[in-house]
Amino acid sequence: MFLLLWLFLLPSLRADYFSPSHSCSEPWDKSDRYDVDNFKQCIEDFVDEMNDQASEHIEAANDAINDWNSFASY
C-alpha cells in the first residue's frame, strides 16, 4: 500500500525520462529526389510509430478509467 501511494505522489517516477526523436538524416543535396524521398519516408515512419504508441497510451488510460468507473459504481 505504501509503495502505491509513494508512486502516486511522485509523478516523476511515472513519467518517461526522455522524449523520443527521429534518427532520420537530412540529405545534403535537396535536389536529390532519392535522398529526399528516403528522408520523407523515414520521418513518416517515425510519426506513424509515435502515433501508434500514443494510441496505445490513450487506450490504456481509457481502460484504467473504465476500471475505476466499474469499481466506483458499486
Side-chain angles (χ1 to χ4, degrees):
M1 177 67 174
F2 175 75
L3 179 62
L4 289 176
L5 183 60
W6 187 62
L7 289 173
F8 180 75
L9 294 176
L10 295 173
S12 64
L13 292 176
R14 295 179 289 134
D16 290 339
Y17 289 106
F18 67 95
S19 272
S21 61
H22 70 84
S23 59
C24 307
S25 300
E26 289 185 31
W28 288 95
D29 181 4
K30 290 183 179 182
S31 65
D32 184 335
R33 293 305 316 154
Y34 179 77
D35 286 345
V36 169
D37 288 343
N38 283 340
F39 179 58
K40 179 183 177 190
Q41 186 62 54
C42 182
I43 293 292
E44 288 174 349
D45 291 345
F46 175 78
V47 169
D48 288 344
E49 181 181 350
M50 293 299 102
N51 285 334
D52 288 345
Q53 289 179 16
S55 294
E56 291 173 5
H57 287 221
I58 290 168
E59 184 178 341
N62 287 334
D63 288 346
I65 291 168
N66 290 335
D67 286 347
W68 169 254
N69 289 338
S70 177
F71 169 79
S73 67
Y74 288 107

